[in-house]
Amino acid sequence: IQWLDGNGKVVGSAVAADQFGQNDWKQATKRISAPASAVAGRFQLAMLKTHGWVEIDDLSAAAVGAGSHEGKRIARSLIRHKRVGNLLYPEDERTFNLKVETVRPLPEARRTATWSLHDYWGNEQGDPRTLSLKSAGRNKARRFVYEGEIDLANLPMDTGRYYEIHLSMPESGGETFTDFRSLAILPEAPARKHPWKQIPFTSRNWDNRVKDYILLSDRLGIRTIGLRSDISAKPPYKAGVSLYKLARELDMGVVINTMIWKLEHHRDNYKDYDETALREGTKNLALKYAMDGNAIITLGNEPPELDARADEVKHAYQICYEAVKEVTPDTLVVGTAVGPSERYLSRGIGAWKDVYDMHTYGDPAAIRKMLEKYQRLFKKYGHPKPVWATELGLNSQGLTRRVVANSLIRKFSIFFAGGGENASWF
């Protein structure tokens, strides 16, 4: 915590939390005294002599003791339907649970919430309504919880349209807490009636160990899902895949990874994955998860565009590809996501994959150029094979949902028109 005076100058600091090494999520709480000259404070994160990443959530501070002011009480609100993602079926009840979390108890006078339903353009679908919140004790984070119900039963809503529930509550000093949640009424996705191999879309994200990510993908009719694999570098080279059972219960195909990505990026214990570990571990992965024909194996992910790294990993691609084909010859193997890179294709990696993989967040023209470049490289180096895009997207911060949706349609259209075979909006 840094303390600032009236001119914005730092007049003191204190460590609120400190950690090192690899840790699971943990809560940190500390009481800190401010210098007499401080009129404001701010959080500061510093990473010292390290590499990797740190995740922080729910930062909050409250004045306590003598001279304290009331400050804001409401930390966050949650508006949830029983259907995942607030994606209702047409026949569902339209009642939502409202949960408000606060850092201090709410006075009775502030336990009233005002809400309204809006369409995408911001038009209210009825007059604003109020509801009273009831205390529900405290949660695991030691926050005070208040609950109520939002009922949309008598408001006009069309199937297939986007809506938002807008919420407001009084705060201290005349301020207002506001929030909103999106929702839609959608029928069952027609694609769910088809085998996963017939649907040319895949769902992937940066952490494939989140249950709702699978449930949302299934709700939208995406029949193939990327899952996170792990293979031990030590005998007997055990292989595991997070949430595999859930995906199979939903009759989804799965895309699972080998450990080549560690070699590509020199991550963690990558030196432990020698030729034996790669071969035997990949065999175990295929034998355990691909024997029923419902798994796709992907080799790597976005290796650096370096000659030295390409020379280093090209043999690893061959080892893992041949290991898969030895035990499950019919399993589809997606190559590392390097795109139409001459540095890699010139080294013959096309021989050790069934499908090429490209990632791009560029404009639609960039997709067309990448697909055209593949064809030129196929003529030059051989090994022509289908092209997937397991990451299509755009840098969407600050963009409206409509702009993102239009971009999705354009990019998918150009990808498939250019000969692409399977795509994932990432």
Side-chain angles (χ1 to χ4, degrees), residues 11-289:
V11 293
S13 65
V15 176
D18 192 7
Q19 72 173 33
F20 58 91
Q22 184 172 333
N23 297 278
D24 292 327
W25 279 100
K26 61 182 180 181
Q27 182 175 344
T29 303
K30 192 169 185 179
R31 185 165 178 160
I32 297 171
S33 297
S37 58
V39 300
R42 65 188 179 193
F43 291 104
Q44 181 188 47
L45 168 66
M47 299 177 67
L48 306 176
K49 298 181 180 179
T50 188
H51 68 278
W53 66 91
V54 60
E55 295 178 351
I56 297 177
D57 192 19
D58 280 350
L59 284 174
S60 63
V64 296
S68 67
H69 57 84
E70 183 178 353
K72 295 182 178 180
R73 293 174 183 256
I74 300 175
R76 68 169 180 168
S77 68
L78 300 169
I79 302 174
R80 289 177 173 171
H81 192 269
K82 64 181 180 180
R83 298 294 185 186
V84 64
N86 289 346
L87 298 178
L88 288 64
Y89 288 96
E91 64 273 16
D92 282 340
E93 293 183 355
R94 300 180 185 179
T95 301
F96 291 73
N97 173 257
L98 168 62
K99 185 178 293 185
V100 176
E101 298 180 5
T102 69
V103 295
R104 293 186 302 283
L106 279 182
E108 289 287 346
R110 293 196 199 168
R111 297 184 187 181
T112 299
T114 301
W115 63 270
S116 54
L117 181 68
H118 298 244
D119 64 11
Y120 175 82
W121 307 107
N123 299 313
E124 291 188 352
Q125 305 301 292
D127 294 332
R129 305 182 184 185
T130 61
L131 61 86
S132 297
L133 299 176
K134 296 181 179 180
S135 174
R138 301 180 76 169
N139 59 19
K140 292 181 179 179
R142 304 301 297 162
R143 287 178 174 169
F144 299 89
V145 180
Y146 300 87
E147 291 187 324
E149 285 192 349
I150 295 175
D151 190 354
L152 309 181
N154 298 321
L155 293 173
M157 297 181 69
D158 296 329
T159 299
R161 294 185 67 190
Y162 172 95
Y163 293 97
E164 292 177 351
I165 297 173
H166 286 221
L167 177 75
S168 64
M169 292 182 64
E171 265 283 18
S172 61
E175 296 185 12
T176 302
F177 170 84
T178 61
D179 201 0
F180 75 93
R181 290 295 184 276
S182 58
L183 66 142
I185 300 174
L186 298 176
E188 181 177 356
R192 295 188 75 250
K193 300 176 181 179
H194 295 266
W196 65 269
K197 292 182 180 180
Q198 294 181 2
I199 305 300
F201 297 97
T202 296
S203 178
R204 297 177 70 242
N205 71 12
W206 271 311
D207 190 342
N208 300 344
R209 297 170 294 182
V210 179
K211 180 180 177 181
D212 284 350
Y213 142 73
I214 296 181
L215 297 177
L216 278 169
S217 298
D218 177 65
R219 175 71 173 92
L220 296 172
I222 302 174
R223 307 294 298 122
T224 304
I225 189 101
L227 297 180
R228 182 162 176 167
S229 311
D230 188 51
I231 305 173
S232 172
K234 305 297 182 183
Y237 309 108
K238 291 184 178 180
V241 177
S242 298
L243 297 176
Y244 175 82
K245 182 179 179 181
L246 174 60
R248 294 305 304 127
E249 287 174 353
L250 297 170
D251 199 28
M252 304 173 82
V254 299
V255 178
I256 52 182
N257 58 277
T258 69
M259 293 294 102
I260 289 179
W261 65 271
K262 288 193 174 185
L263 278 71
E264 291 173 326
H265 298 276
H266 285 186
R267 285 288 301 276
D268 306 324
N269 59 331
Y270 76 95
K271 291 184 178 179
D272 293 340
Y273 288 91
D274 58 17
E275 184 170 332
T276 300
L278 285 174
R279 180 181 292 106
E280 298 307 316
T282 302
K283 284 183 183 179
N284 289 339
L285 183 74
L287 286 169
K288 187 173 181 179
Y289 298 103

